[in-house]
Amino acid sequence: MVPGIHRPAAVYVDLAAIRQNIKEEIKHLRPDQKLFAVVKANAYGHGAVRIAQEAVKVGVSGFCVAILDEALELRRAGIIQPILVLGVTPVKYAPLAAVNGISLTVPNLKWLQDSEPELSQNHLQLKIHLAVDSGMGRIGFSEDEEFIAANEFLLNNQNFNVEGMFTHFASADSSDDSYFLSQVDRFAHFKKLLKLKPRWIHVDNTAASVFNKRVHSDLVRFGIGIYGLNPSSNPAGPDLKTAIKLKPAMSFVSELVQVHTIHKGQGVGYGSTYIADQDEIIGTVPVGYADGFIRKFQGFKIKVGSEYCPIVGRVCMDQLMVKLPCKMAVGTKVILISNDPQAPNSIKKAADYVDSIHYEVACLLDDRLPRIYYN
Ligand SMILES: *Cc1c(COP(=O)(O)O)cnc(C)c1O
């Protein structure tokens, strides 16, 4: 995919906000805790390499990504800190991870048994973290016998370096702690079964950390907080209060490329879902769902100049139209998503509008939009 550098549309990322959010979180950590910056999915749409470089400047201890390719991208960019792949990597790529000093997640005993010959043939040692499914129902050990067998398999096994053991919470962003606490108990049970001494036993994501859940975690897998967003995802509800101050880093900005008047009875967009009932001024913005700005945004108000204007008609693949209150010049700035958390077009408001969460809105903004860094 080529980034569109010859059209007026881009995702802007405030690097001072990124650094500040990480610094605030590091200050908030307990003395023995470390921060691993989660930069999966192109750093939640913010650009993985650049965000990782900023994170290094403010002293993070390591990184988490979702897939091996994301880890390799960081290594190619010169990132030397530990990197953990949180998802399940096919065993045939275990040697590639080992050669690059990348840590992989172990989902079950079979994964260990199948990856061992791949490693031993190549005389390699792989760094691993054992995943425990304590209630997310996604990946990891969930049966005692299998976990014990994996521990025995790993004792004195030269092909593996057991660096960590972790679990992931399904509802650390909820004010109701009951399910969260059941996961804490289940994980504690697995800790008792350990026959190894991993350096990092970790459970915290952003939510568990910034909502002060009191649970032991040697490191915090700090994701959404880096980007200045509150992890509480109460749909359309008020956010839970975070223990640290977060400053959103992302804005999505374009310009009007055409402004024209349409007359009573004329439609706008595919299917003519909007029909003018008088002479109206329509502005065209050169972004659409192919940029990740989905069709559900029809009707959402974005900022054109100093006015909030509704998107009228269906969002097209590469363009969308807004109804303007008055004639505005071609080239007028359009803020589709604001980094001001109070703005009516903040990413949280945008996510509420399309029945989603800001994580998804940010990740969907794709590579056709250049990322422009400032501060
Ligand atoms: C994505 C992810 C995180 C980070 O979550 P945030 O809510 O963005 O802080 C942490 N741990 C795991 C296992 C994840 O998949």
Side-chain angles (χ1 to χ4, degrees):
M1 166 100 64
V2 287
I5 58 173
H6 301 99
R7 99 173 143 169
V11 171
Y12 286 77
V13 180
D14 178 355
L15 293 177
I18 297 284
R19 291 190 302 269
Q20 181 189 313
N21 294 325
I22 297 172
K23 281 196 272 190
E24 287 284 316
E25 173 66 7
I26 289 176
K27 267 194 268 166
H28 173 66
L29 297 178
R30 287 189 287 268
D32 53 343
Q33 272 184 321
K34 300 284 182 217
L35 189 150
F36 271 41
V38 183
V39 294
K40 62 193 179 189
N42 201 25
Y44 298 36
H46 295 66
V49 168
R50 194 60 193 266
I51 298 300
Q53 288 165 341
E54 295 303 306
V56 167
K57 286 185 200 163
V58 289
V60 302
S61 302
F63 292 92
C64 297
V65 294
I67 66 175
L68 180 56
D69 304 83
E70 294 172 339
L72 293 169
E73 181 188 29
L74 297 184
R75 283 283 181 259
R76 277 195 300 272
I79 298 289
I80 56 169
Q81 280 73 12
I83 305 175
L84 168 61
V85 177
L86 296 167
V88 179
T89 306
V91 292
K92 65 176 167 199
Y93 301 126
L96 179 60
V99 165
N100 286 279
I102 293 164
S103 310
L104 297 185
T105 290
V106 175
N108 53 31
L109 177 59
K110 183 161 188 331
W111 192 95
L112 283 173
Q113 290 164 337
D114 291 351
S115 60
E116 187 188 38
E118 307 272 347
L119 294 163
S120 58
Q121 275 159 28
N122 298 290
H123 309 288
L124 291 168
Q125 189 181 64
L126 178 69
K127 296 185 224 172
I128 54 171
H129 291 231
L130 304 175
V132 171
D133 177 10
S134 61
M136 179 73 180
R138 192 166 69 176
I139 58 171
F141 293 88
S142 55
E143 303 293 339
D144 292 7
E145 309 78 70
E146 189 184 346
F147 187 70
I148 293 165
N151 273 265
E152 275 156 9
F153 179 89
L154 288 166
L155 277 175
N156 305 317
N157 188 320
Q158 293 311 307
N159 294 122
F160 299 97
N161 169 4
V162 188
E163 275 188 326
M165 162 174 169
F166 74 101
T167 198
H168 191 51
F169 294 122
S171 51
D173 59 338
S174 167
S175 50
D176 177 352
D177 266 353
S178 47
Y179 197 78
F180 174 84
L181 292 173
S182 76
Q183 286 198 256
V184 172
D185 284 351
R186 188 87 188 122
F187 189 64
H189 169 75
F190 277 91
K191 274 201 279 190
K192 284 197 213 113
L193 301 179
L194 263 180
K195 292 187 161 61
L196 310 147
K197 286 203 165 35
R199 172 161 171 229
W200 311 104
I201 295 188
H202 52 110
V203 300
D204 275 9
N205 54 2
T206 300
S209 177
V210 302
F211 299 139
N212 287 325
K213 307 283 181 191
R214 286 176 205 295
V215 44
H216 177 85
S217 189
D218 291 326
L219 61 87
V220 177
R221 303 186 303 266
F222 193 60
I224 198 76
I226 298 176
Y227 314 103
L229 303 176
N230 185 320
S232 109
S233 54
N234 298 341
D239 285 338
L240 298 178
K241 203 166 156 28
T242 55
I244 62 168
K245 205 164 138 273
L246 294 170
K247 187 175 189 320
M250 176 189 276
S251 47
F252 177 21
V253 181
S254 186
E255 289 177 5
L256 295 177
V257 292
Q258 178 162 5
V259 177
H260 65 303
T261 302
I262 61 168
H263 303 293
K264 183 179 160 88
Q266 281 192 300
V268 176
Y270 291 115
S272 306
T273 56
Y274 181 80
I275 306 275
D277 39 44
Q278 57 190 29
D279 281 7
E280 283 173 8
I281 304 164
I282 298 296
T284 303
V285 184
V287 299
Y289 62 78
D291 298 293
F293 199 72
I294 62 176
R295 276 165 39 119
K296 267 198 176 173
F297 278 113
Q298 177 173 339
F300 186 63
K301 287 189 177 157
I302 59 180
K303 195 173 185 188
V304 186
S306 56
E307 306 281 339
Y308 289 93
C309 305
I311 295 170
V312 290
R314 290 188 180 135
V315 172
C316 311
M317 187 185 289
D318 317 296
Q319 306 180 67
L320 59 82
M321 284 68 82
V322 281
K323 181 176 157 179
L324 303 176
C326 57
K327 205 123 200 137
M328 290 188 190
V330 165
T332 301
K333 184 171 175 182
V334 176
I335 303 178
L336 295 108
I337 292 173
S338 171
N339 61 0
D340 173 359
Q342 307 308 330
N345 59 342
S346 72
I347 193 162
K348 160 86 171 152
K349 293 273 165 44
D352 286 347
Y353 189 83
V354 298
D355 301 317
S356 182
I357 53 173
H358 44 38
Y359 291 75
E360 189 180 31
V361 173
C363 288
L364 284 181
L365 297 176
D366 77 13
D367 287 354
R368 199 166 72 171
L369 294 165
R371 269 54 178 179
I372 298 179
Y373 298 98
Y374 64 101
N375 285 342

Coordinates of all heavy atoms in Angstrom, one line a residue, residues 38 40 44 64 86 138 166-168 203-207 221-225 227 231 359, ligand 1:
V38 N 3.1 -1.7 24.5 CA 2.4 -2.5 23.6 C 2.2 -1.7 22.3 O 1.5 -0.7 22.3 CB 1.0 -3.0 24.1 CG1 0.4 -3.9 23.1 CG2 1.2 -3.7 25.5
K40 N 1.6 -3.3 19.2 CA 1.0 -4.1 18.1 C 0.1 -3.3 17.2 O -0.3 -2.2 17.5 CB 0.1 -5.3 18.8 CG -1.0 -4.7 19.6 CD -1.6 -5.8 20.5 CE -2.8 -5.3 21.4 NZ -3.2 -6.3 22.4
Y44 N -1.3 0.7 17.4 CA -2.7 1.1 17.5 C -3.0 2.2 16.4 O -3.7 3.1 16.6 CB -3.2 1.5 18.8 CG -3.1 0.5 20.0 CD1 -2.1 -0.4 20.1 CD2 -4.0 0.5 21.0 CE1 -2.0 -1.3 21.1 CE2 -4.0 -0.4 22.1 CZ -2.9 -1.3 22.1 OH -2.9 -2.2 23.1
C64 N 5.7 -5.2 23.6 CA 4.8 -6.4 23.2 C 4.2 -6.1 21.9 O 3.9 -4.9 21.6 CB 3.7 -6.5 24.2 SG 4.2 -6.9 25.9
L86 N 2.7 -11.6 21.7 CA 1.6 -12.0 22.5 C 0.7 -13.1 21.9 O 0.0 -13.8 22.7 CB 0.7 -10.8 22.9 CG 1.4 -9.7 23.7 CD1 0.5 -8.4 23.7 CD2 1.7 -10.1 25.1
R138 N -9.1 -17.4 25.5 CA -8.5 -17.1 24.3 C -7.3 -18.0 24.0 O -7.4 -18.9 23.2 CB -8.1 -15.6 24.3 CG -7.7 -15.1 22.9 CD -7.7 -13.6 22.9 NE -6.6 -13.0 23.6 CZ -6.3 -11.6 23.7 NH1 -7.1 -10.8 22.9 NH2 -5.3 -11.2 24.4
F166 N 2.2 -15.4 32.1 CA 1.3 -14.2 32.1 C -0.2 -14.7 31.9 O -0.4 -15.8 31.4 CB 1.6 -13.1 31.2 CG 1.4 -13.5 29.7 CD1 0.3 -12.9 29.0 CD2 2.3 -14.2 29.0 CE1 0.1 -13.2 27.7 CE2 2.1 -14.5 27.6 CZ 1.0 -14.0 27.0
T167 N -1.1 -13.8 32.2 CA -2.5 -14.0 31.8 C -3.0 -12.7 31.4 O -2.4 -11.6 31.5 CB -3.3 -14.6 33.0 OG1 -4.5 -15.2 32.4 CG2 -3.6 -13.6 34.0
H168 N -4.2 -12.7 30.8 CA -4.8 -11.5 30.3 C -6.3 -11.3 30.8 O -7.0 -12.3 30.8 CB -4.8 -11.5 28.8 CG -5.2 -10.2 28.1 ND1 -4.6 -9.0 28.4 CD2 -6.1 -9.9 27.2 CE1 -5.1 -8.0 27.7 NE2 -6.1 -8.6 26.9
V203 N 0.5 -9.6 34.6 CA -1.0 -9.7 34.4 C -1.5 -8.3 33.9 O -2.6 -8.3 33.3 CB -1.8 -10.1 35.6 CG1 -1.4 -11.5 36.0 CG2 -1.6 -9.2 36.8
D204 N -0.8 -7.2 34.3 CA -1.5 -5.9 34.1 C -1.5 -5.5 32.6 O -0.4 -5.5 31.9 CB -0.7 -4.8 34.9 CG -1.1 -4.7 36.3 OD1 -1.9 -5.6 36.8 OD2 -0.7 -3.8 37.0
N205 N -2.6 -5.0 32.2 CA -2.7 -4.2 30.9 C -2.9 -2.8 31.4 O -2.8 -2.5 32.6 CB -3.9 -4.7 30.1 CG -5.2 -4.8 30.8 OD1 -5.3 -4.4 32.0 ND2 -6.2 -5.2 30.1
T206 N -3.2 -1.9 30.5 CA -3.4 -0.5 30.9 C -4.5 -0.4 32.0 O -4.3 0.3 33.0 CB -3.8 0.4 29.7 OG1 -2.7 0.4 28.7 CG2 -4.0 1.9 30.2
A207 N -5.6 -1.0 31.7 CA -6.7 -0.9 32.7 C -6.4 -1.3 34.1 O -6.6 -0.6 35.0 CB -7.9 -1.6 32.1
R221 N 1.9 -4.4 30.8 CA 1.8 -4.4 29.3 C 0.9 -3.2 29.0 O -0.3 -3.3 28.9 CB 1.2 -5.7 28.8 CG 2.0 -6.9 29.3 CD 1.4 -8.2 28.6 NE 0.0 -8.5 28.9 CZ -0.5 -9.2 29.9 NH1 0.3 -9.8 30.8 NH2 -1.8 -9.3 30.0
F222 N 1.6 -2.1 28.8 CA 0.9 -0.8 28.7 C 0.6 -0.5 27.2 O 1.5 -0.2 26.4 CB 1.9 0.3 29.3 CG 1.2 1.6 29.6 CD1 0.1 1.7 30.4 CD2 1.7 2.8 29.0 CE1 -0.4 3.0 30.7 CE2 1.2 4.0 29.2 CZ 0.1 4.1 30.1
G223 N -0.6 -0.5 26.8 CA -1.0 -0.3 25.4 C -1.8 1.0 25.2 O -1.2 2.0 25.0
I224 N -3.1 0.9 25.4 CA -3.9 2.1 25.0 C -3.5 3.4 25.8 O -3.7 4.5 25.2 CB -5.4 1.7 25.3 CG1 -6.3 2.6 24.5 CG2 -5.7 1.7 26.8 CD1 -6.5 2.4 23.1
G225 N -2.9 3.2 27.0 CA -2.5 4.4 27.7 C -1.4 5.2 27.0 O -1.3 6.4 27.2
Y227 N -1.2 5.9 24.1 CA -1.8 6.7 23.1 C -2.7 7.8 23.7 O -3.4 8.5 23.0 CB -2.5 5.8 22.0 CG -1.6 4.7 21.6 CD1 -1.8 3.4 22.2 CD2 -0.4 5.0 20.9 CE1 -0.8 2.4 21.9 CE2 0.5 4.0 20.6 CZ 0.3 2.7 21.1 OH 1.2 1.7 20.9
P231 N -8.8 3.4 29.0 CA -9.2 2.0 28.6 C -10.6 1.7 29.0 O -11.1 0.6 28.5 CB -8.2 1.1 29.3 CG -7.7 1.9 30.5 CD -7.8 3.4 30.0
Y359 N -10.1 1.9 20.4 CA -9.1 1.0 19.9 C -9.3 0.7 18.4 O -8.4 0.7 17.6 CB -9.1 -0.3 20.6 CG -8.8 -0.4 22.1 CD1 -9.6 0.0 23.1 CD2 -7.6 -1.1 22.5 CE1 -9.3 -0.1 24.4 CE2 -7.3 -1.2 23.8 CZ -8.2 -0.8 24.8 OH -7.9 -0.9 26.1
Ligands
LIG1 C1 -3.4 -5.8 23.6 C2 -2.9 -6.4 24.8 C3 -2.5 -5.7 25.9 C4 -2.6 -4.2 26.0 O1 -3.9 -3.8 26.3 P1 -4.3 -2.3 26.6 O2 -5.7 -2.3 27.0 O3 -4.1 -1.6 25.2 O4 -3.4 -1.7 27.6 C5 -2.0 -6.4 27.0 N1 -1.9 -7.7 27.1 C6 -2.3 -8.5 26.0 C7 -2.2 -9.9 26.1 C8 -2.9 -7.9 24.9 O5 -3.3 -8.6 23.9

